[in-house]
Amino acid sequence: MAETVVPGEDQEISRRIEETAQREDLGAVRSVYPVGNKPGSGVWAWVIFGGLVLAAVISGVTGAHSGTRHWGGFFGMFAVFAFIIASGTSLRGWWYNRKLAGGRLELRERGLVIGFRDRAVGLRYETVSVLQNLVRHTSNGVETGTSYTYTFTLPGQLVPVVIDHTFSGVQQWGPEIQQAIVNAQAPMVMARLRAGEKAEFGPFWISATEIGTSMNSAAWGEVKDMTIADGAVKIRSGRGPVNLRAKAIKEIPNFFVFRTLFEHLRQVHNPTAAG
């Protein structure tokens, strides 16, 4: 497959991504999400810092000569704050230039590639396990935004691959990845269940006839519904809750595969249950 060259993109990153995609047989590109905008340079913070330091020096010198109260300590205190802000902003800019600049996330037919200047990682939808953690942030009771973190683990690998809203368009690529994993894995897991196996999803397990946890279980015909609130899952059966305590979605690997199979098996065995 010929490599598509986009004007202005980092060719070394493109080469790594293409080599990884070919090696893992990930197929053609479906969508591309670059690293987000570069952080500000922080020049304004350094200018303020310099001005405050100069003001503190001048105030201290004039106060010492006149014998009057001066404002050197006041300016010095704010100069410290300005220095901390300027240093943090500059550090983020340095990290961006060294590690993130030019990086991108490519979603392909059979997997995804995460490419940076120093490395590229390929993950196949049919084998990867993903944990999703969405955190809504509030300030004074007002929602200020949501942070997204996706942790991918491959069979036999101890070190996970973590990506977040560093890549632009997280509200698009997150659901795209989840749906691609469902499409690839749900049929395979269903075939295993029909063969009499159990499938593990963190705190839950499912079989062709039951769903349960380490403490409790219920036949599919008894299962009423699954409710999701505050990022946690609760499953009820006719005999009471299957999980006595709500389980956090961030602890359920491939949650969307789990939910797809849950809805299918519940409908097959108990079509009159609440949705």
Side-chain angles (χ1 to χ4, degrees):
M1 181 175 61
E3 181 179 350
T4 301
V5 177
V6 178
E9 74 178 23
D10 190 306
Q11 297 306 307
E12 180 62 21
I13 294 176
S14 296
R15 181 187 64 79
R16 282 200 175 96
I17 287 176
E18 193 59 35
E19 287 178 352
T20 301
Q22 295 280 1
R23 183 174 63 251
E24 301 294 338
D25 188 27
L26 301 182
V29 176
R30 293 302 191 203
S31 53
V32 178
Y33 298 94
V35 166
N37 295 330
K38 180 180 178 179
S41 64
V43 171
W44 61 271
W46 286 113
V47 170
I48 293 174
F49 167 69
L52 288 169
V53 170
L54 182 62
V57 171
I58 293 175
S59 177
V61 170
T62 56
H65 281 292
S66 63
T68 60
R69 181 180 178 183
H70 55 82
W71 292 86
F74 174 82
F75 289 126
M77 178 182 67
F78 280 95
V80 171
F81 291 134
F83 175 78
I84 292 172
I85 294 172
S87 298
T89 305
S90 297
L91 183 60
R92 288 194 296 273
W94 173 85
W95 178 258
Y96 181 95
N97 290 329
R98 181 176 176 82
K99 295 291 185 180
L100 302 180
R104 66 181 188 267
L105 168 66
E106 285 193 0
L107 306 189
R108 296 190 170 227
E109 291 177 295
R110 293 179 289 278
L112 59 95
V113 186
I114 305 158
F116 294 109
R117 286 184 176 179
D118 59 343
R119 71 192 188 283
V121 180
L123 306 170
R124 289 182 66 88
Y125 295 135
E126 65 184 22
T127 56
V128 74
S129 174
V130 59
L131 290 170
Q132 170 184 293
N133 188 19
L134 277 59
V135 179
R136 289 182 172 84
H137 303 280
T138 59
S139 177
N140 298 321
V142 178
E143 188 168 320
T144 57
T146 303
S147 60
Y148 302 79
T149 304
Y150 293 83
T151 303
F152 300 90
T153 305
L154 288 170
Q157 294 192 10
L158 298 178
V159 180
V161 177
V162 181
I163 59 175
D164 56 19
H165 47 274
T166 295
F167 293 102
S168 61
V170 63
Q171 292 178 323
Q172 287 75 48
W173 60 252
E176 281 187 57
I177 292 174
Q178 296 283 19
Q179 188 58 53
I181 293 174
V182 169
N183 295 342
Q185 295 192 23
M188 295 190 301
V189 177
M190 196 66 231
R192 289 170 47 205
L193 300 183
R194 291 191 182 112
E197 298 182 33
K198 285 184 178 180
E200 303 281 347
F201 291 91
F204 294 103
W205 58 264
I206 60 175
S207 72
T209 57
E210 291 182 295
I211 181 171
T213 67
S214 60
M215 302 297 293
N216 200 6
S217 65
W220 284 111
E222 299 175 334
V223 175
K224 288 187 174 182
D225 59 18
M226 173 196 296
T227 58
I228 300 174
D230 298 324
V233 173
K234 192 82 170 180
I235 296 174
R236 295 187 306 148
S237 74
R239 295 184 290 110
V242 173
N243 50 317
L244 299 178
R245 297 180 61 184
K247 305 297 184 182
I249 291 176
K250 65 181 180 180
E251 298 174 359
I252 304 174
N254 288 347
F255 171 72
F256 284 82
V257 177
F258 171 76
R259 187 171 69 175
T260 298
L261 295 171
F262 173 92
E263 292 297 342
H264 172 73
L265 290 166
R266 183 185 63 80
Q267 286 292 333
V268 167
H269 292 88
N270 192 2
T272 62

